[in-house]
Amino acid sequence: MIYTITFNPSLDYCIVVKDFKTGTINRTVREQIYPGGKGINVSIVLKNLGMPSTTLGFLGGFTGDEIERRLKEQKIRTDFIRVPEGMSRINVKMRSGVETEINGSGPVIGTDEMSRLYEKLALLKEGDTLVLAGSIPAGMPENVYQEILRTLEGKKIRTVVDATGALLRNVLSYHPFLVKPNHHELGALFDVKIDTKKDAAVYGEKLQQAGARNVLVSMGAKGAVLLTEDGQILEKDAPGGTLVNSVGAGDSMVAGFLAGYEKYKDYEKALWYGLCAGSASACGEGLATGAQVEKMLAEKI
Ligand SMILES: Nc1ncnc2c1ncn2[C@@H]1O[C@H](COP(=O)(O)OP(=O)(O)O)[C@@H](O)[C@H]1O
Ligand SMILES: O=P(O)(O)OC[C@H]1O[C@](O)(COP(=O)(O)O)[C@@H](O)[C@@H]1O
């Protein structure tokens, strides 16, 4: 079974505003609301690709209820822990020529709720996959991902981490199966700017040297570089298409990679599956559907 953890789920309020201006009233020309947060997005796209998963994490307030209701509506298995105070965040994603995002910090997670998460994680079995993705709520220690990986050590669970900064850096020595920084996030770890696939490979290799088994560096419209545990460096352009909304493109790529790897047990095909899922999300409204990904796979492979 695949489990995804979203410490900080969200409702993504995606709006289009014409000529956005600060300091005055702007009105939307289009608005949509989706359940979000990186782990949740991975579970949605996995479901769209025919792979079941269970979403773990923390929810609070009426926003938390709505996130769960929407996931259940999509027949996604949920096993969230409720926080007694505060509410799950609403993240604003605005398109006005360029994309602007304002992500909330989320409710405080208490020690009781954390213990309940560890109880659930203790039930994971050999062969399961655990995806840890996204930011953590304010006040939570930055070693939390590392602690989770530490408790799973030796259990033969495949772990995937899509996080930034210290959250990512701290897990590397626990040998995650896959980490997926984008090129900005990878650059930020080393205080450099990464614009080319060559540089992405150079710095991606440093994550492998620090312990990651496979490193997938996504580069938006430019595609991605995959460094595999068997020593391959695979570079591939993204399938073409016009950007509509890149929210969740990276999460879709993680889902596509996992689905492709499960299907073919081949890194090159998994990379292509990931790219097609990422691009299908970026080039359409909402997250990629199975049909959109299949269409891209069939056209370009
Ligand atoms: N503008 C775009 N056009 C086509 N594909 C895109 C675009 N932006 C993202 N993608 C696809 O989604 C993948 C992940 O996007 P990226 O922006 O790098 O991730 P993240 O959302 O984590 O920042 C890319 O590798 C690519 O396949
Ligand atoms: O947990 P974070 O880093 O604040 O990110 C949460 C946001 O990221 C998303 O999961 C989208 O992620 P990506 O665009 O990086 O794939 C949104 O659904 C959500 O609002």
Side-chain angles (χ1 to χ4, degrees), residues 50 57 62 121 140 209 233 237 253 278 285 295:
F62 75 99
L121 294 176
M140 187 166 275
Q209 284 157 2
I233 299 180
D237 291 342
M253 172 175 240
E285 288 293 351
K295 188 161 177 271

Side-chain angles (χ1 to χ4, degrees), residues 162 180 182 218-221 223-224 238-239 241 243 246 249-250 253 274-275 278-279 282-283:
D162 181 1
K180 195 222 70 72
N182 66 31
S218 65
M219 305 187 71
L243 175 69
S246 76
M253 172 175 240
L275 282 163
S279 294
C283 301

